[in-house]
């Protein structure tokens, strides 16, 4: 633990300068600028405060794994309002953070504050829990830049990892502090290494829960064999398996290599006419789920056709990804079985823009209409819906587009925020995430305005903390030390 903290401190110190506004040490991001905004004043203020006080940086992680340096000195955040993950936002509330976790939330005058506490004022902002995206691909980038096939076949794994490091930084800057990353798409176990680098503080990024290679039925994914010469040996987008023995082995191999979740493709475009059809039998799906669950891992199923969705639910999967073709009967089965739904509404919009001349805000494509039908039906029937965007299909760091879609198609802003915080944390089985309450991990984000009234406020992120470390702070923020009460 101490070794990890010292390594992070040495890396941070090499990029420290005194912020002209606050006079505090700030860590500049050595990564290249992002497409979106990465002026990335990645600023672990909590670490700087610990160094300034002469205290050693202390590692903090939710499960005892190596973590980034968390604040040794308590820190009081004072925004205009705090949304804890439940109910309405609370004007005038503050949040006390120490040792990487929330210690108290409420009016500052009701707290017992230690002497010399550090303070960060966040005027005009709402403080919310760090956001969670349940469906990401940090090793992909938008298909209008490079097609999926070309990324898998032509881009070297080292190049893809280098891009993924930037993608992770962009995502954290956008206020998303946790990702469930559902497959490396031909990059092997690269996500495990990226997760480690983030956990150790080598690079900034969200907390990653990874699925590694994912599992597909043999010859039932991509790059599609029919598109290439039959004598070519080309990289494949996931691990192929046939039969219960092979799928069980694939689960165990991926778990041994570091998978947090197991993902499999319940269907794909394998029909005679290119239509989407189930690719695994019910017995094969049950074998995947059994092998994963006995190891303590949850299972996500890519499924778009009603037949495949129903088979996956009957097999006992924990989440359905996409689910565009689900019938009312299948959604009712999901409610009965407690299967969560991750609708990835932004993906069909992005595909429409790239390949079908769709103009954002214009008439929806057939795929967008199908996604809308499924989402509205699932919500009406009471299916548990978590926020997951399929980012990587579109630009990293613009994950908030999914929440805007959730609201556009019927959710209230606070309901959409819950899908990306409390509900998403429940799907992950992580009660220490997704809420601002004592002992929760200090994953905190401040945005200009009030996202419980206007979800577009999520585009205006001004402050990001993950695990008690500040990675983004507004240039107008006021930081200082004050007397305890």
């Amino acid at each position: 633990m101490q070794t990890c903290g010292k390594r992070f401190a040495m890396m941070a110190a090499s990029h420290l300068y005194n912020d002209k506004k606050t006079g505090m040490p700030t860590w500049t991001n050595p990564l290249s600028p992002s497409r979106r905004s990465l002026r990335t004043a990645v600023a672990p203020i909590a670490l700087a405060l610990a160094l300034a006080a002469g205290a050693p940086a202390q590692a903090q992680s939710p499960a005892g794994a190596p973590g980034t340096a968390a604040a040794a000195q308590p820190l009081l955040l004072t925004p205009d309002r705090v949304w804890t993950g439940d109910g309405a936002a609370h004007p005038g509330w503050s949040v006390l953070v120490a040792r990487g976790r929330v210690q108290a939330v409420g009016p500052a005058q009701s707290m017992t504050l230690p002497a010399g506490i550090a303070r960060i004022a966040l005027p005009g902002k709402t403080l919310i829990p760090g956001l969670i995206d349940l469906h990401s691909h940090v090793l992909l980038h938008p298909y209008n830049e490079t097609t999926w096939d070309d990324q898998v076949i032509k881009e070297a794994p080292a190049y893809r990892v280098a891009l993924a490091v930037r993608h992770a930084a962009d995502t954290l800057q956008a206020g998303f502090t946790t990702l469930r990353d559902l497959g490396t798409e031909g990059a092997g176990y690269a996500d495990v290494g990226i997760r480690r680098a983030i956990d150790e503080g080598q690079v900034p990024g969200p907390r990653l829960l990874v699925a590694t290679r994912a599992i597909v039925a043999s010859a039932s994914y991509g790059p599609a064999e029919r598109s290439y010469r039959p004598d070519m040996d080309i990289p494949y987008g996931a691990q192929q398996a046939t039969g219960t023995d092979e799928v069980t082995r694939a689960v165990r191999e991926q778990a041994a290599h570091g998978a947090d979740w197991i993902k499999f493709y319940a269907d794909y475009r394998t029909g005679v006419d290119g239509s989407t059809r189930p690719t695994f039998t019910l017995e094969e799906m049950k074998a995947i789920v059994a092998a994963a669950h006995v190891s303590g891992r949850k299972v996500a199923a890519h499924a778009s056709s009603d037949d495949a969705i129903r088979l996956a639910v009957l097999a006992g999967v924990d989440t359905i990804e996409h689910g565009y073709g689900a019938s009312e009967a299948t959604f009712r089965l999901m409610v009965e079985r407690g299967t969560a739904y991750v609708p990835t509404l932004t993906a069909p919009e992005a595909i429409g823009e790239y390949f079908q001349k769709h103009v954002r805000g214009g008439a929806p494509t057939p795929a967008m209409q199908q996604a809308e039908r499924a989402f509205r039906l699932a919500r009406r029937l009471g299916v548990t819906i978590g926020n997951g965007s399929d980012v990587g299909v579109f630009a990293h760091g613009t994950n908030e587009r999914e929440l805007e879609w959730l609201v556009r198609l019927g959710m209230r802003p606070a309901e959409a925020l819950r899908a990306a915080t409390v509900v998403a944390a429940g799907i992950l089985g992580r009660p220490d995430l997704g809420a601002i309450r004592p002992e929760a991990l200090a994953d905190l984000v401040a945005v200009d305005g009030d996202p419980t009234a206007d979800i577009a406020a999520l585009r205006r992120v001004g402050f990001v903390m993950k695990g008690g470390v500040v990675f983004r702070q507004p240039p107008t923020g006021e930081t200082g030390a004050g007397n305890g009460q």
Side-chain angles (χ1 to χ4, degrees):
M1 283 293 208
Q2 281 187 330
T3 300
C4 293
K6 288 177 180 176
R7 181 163 53 242
F8 188 91
M10 290 174 64
M11 180 180 69
S14 67
H15 297 283
L16 284 172
Y17 71 97
N18 286 332
D19 184 271
K20 293 179 180 178
K21 183 77 176 179
T22 65
M24 295 277 312
T26 299
W27 189 56
T28 60
N29 185 6
L31 302 175
S32 60
S34 76
R35 301 184 191 91
R36 191 184 189 205
S37 73
L38 204 71
R39 230 175 32 191
T40 332
V42 176
I45 297 295
L47 171 62
L49 289 168
L51 294 175
Q58 301 195 0
Q60 175 73 37
S61 70
T68 54
Q73 183 178 2
L75 179 64
L76 186 69
L77 304 175
T78 55
D80 273 12
R81 63 194 71 81
V82 175
W83 183 72
T84 64
D86 267 318
H90 299 277
W93 276 24
S94 297
V95 176
L96 177 63
V97 173
R99 299 181 300 279
R101 294 183 180 268
V102 174
Q103 302 300 317
V105 56
Q109 59 268 27
S110 69
M111 301 178 189
T112 300
L113 303 178
I117 188 173
R119 300 171 185 262
I120 296 180
L122 299 166
K125 293 177 171 54
T126 302
L127 194 69
I128 63 175
L131 299 168
I132 301 170
D133 192 328
L134 291 171
H135 194 127
S136 70
H137 295 280
V138 297
L139 285 145
L140 290 177
H141 57 98
Y143 302 165
N144 62 336
E145 297 173 355
T146 308
T147 66
W148 184 89
D149 274 25
D150 282 356
Q151 290 184 50
V152 174
I153 295 172
K154 297 180 180 179
E155 291 183 349
Y159 176 78
R160 294 182 65 188
V161 168
L163 291 184
V165 169
R166 186 176 70 185
H167 299 158
D170 289 352
T171 302
L172 184 60
Q173 289 293 297
F176 285 79
T177 54
T178 300
L179 297 181
R180 184 182 62 156
D181 203 66
L182 288 183
T184 62
E185 307 291 345
Y189 295 103
D191 54 352
V192 176
I194 296 166
R195 181 187 64 192
R196 176 182 173 182
I198 292 171
D199 287 349
E200 291 182 354
Q202 306 290 356
V203 296
R207 184 177 295 99
L208 292 184
L209 302 172
V210 302
T212 70
R213 299 174 64 189
I215 303 169
V216 295
S218 299
S220 300
Y221 191 44
E225 288 80 0
R226 63 181 174 272
S227 299
Y228 300 92
R229 283 172 38 180
D231 59 339
M232 291 180 67
D233 185 13
I234 58 177
Y236 216 62
Q239 184 171 357
Q240 302 180 67
T242 293
T244 57
D245 288 348
E246 287 190 7
V247 299
T248 299
R249 183 179 300 109
V251 170
R252 291 171 178 167
E253 288 176 357
Q254 293 184 12
H257 280 87
D260 300 300
W261 276 69
I262 298 299
K263 178 191 178 182
F264 73 91
Y265 285 72
D267 59 16
Y268 208 65
R269 297 183 292 273
T270 57
V272 174
D273 57 354
S275 59
T276 299
R277 302 290 303 164
T279 52
F280 285 116
T281 64
L282 178 59
E283 290 71 24
E284 289 171 320
M285 294 186 194
K286 285 182 174 179
I288 292 172
V289 172
H293 282 180
V294 78
S295 75
R297 290 168 174 83
K298 293 188 175 185
V299 181
H302 163 114
S304 294
S305 63
D306 188 55
D307 288 345
I309 297 165
R310 187 171 186 83
L311 288 173
V313 174
L314 290 171
V317 302
D318 298 282
T319 67
I320 293 293
E321 313 300 309
H322 314 303
Y324 305 137
S327 65
E328 179 169 339
T330 297
F331 276 134
R332 289 188 183 279
L333 181 65
M334 289 176 64
V335 173
E336 177 186 321
R337 296 294 183 97
T339 311
Y341 175 42
V342 181
T344 63
L345 300 169
T346 313
E349 177 189 51
I351 296 298
E353 289 175 339
Y354 303 156
F355 305 118
Q356 298 164 358
K357 300 182 179 180
H358 172 70
V359 176
R360 201 175 302 182
T365 66
M368 292 168 66
Q369 292 174 338
Q370 186 184 37
E372 176 178 351
R373 178 208 62 83
F375 171 77
R376 291 187 185 276
L377 178 59
R379 182 169 177 266
R380 178 171 63 82
L381 294 173
V383 177
T384 297
I385 298 174
N387 173 68
S389 67
D390 214 357
V391 67
V393 174
F394 60 98
H396 296 274
T398 63
N399 309 58
E400 83 287 340
R401 288 173 60 181
E402 185 72 15
L403 284 93
E404 292 177 4
W405 267 111
L406 295 176
V407 172
R408 193 174 300 139
L409 297 186
M411 280 189 173
R412 300 177 303 278
E415 184 183 357
L417 286 170
R418 283 180 57 83
T421 53
V422 178
V423 174
I427 290 170
L428 293 176
R430 291 292 302 268
D432 55 343
L433 299 175
I436 303 178
R437 60 171 177 260
E439 295 309 311
L441 285 172
D443 287 8
L444 304 167
V445 173
V447 300
D448 290 333
D450 183 359
T452 67
D454 177 14
I455 201 67
L458 296 181
R459 301 181 189 181
R460 303 186 293 272
V461 174
F463 174 88
V464 177
M465 170 182 281
K466 188 190 79 172
V469 180
V470 177
F471 285 89
R472 180 171 187 159
Q473 183 181 358
T476 56
E478 296 178 9
T479 305
N483 295 321
Q485 295 179 4

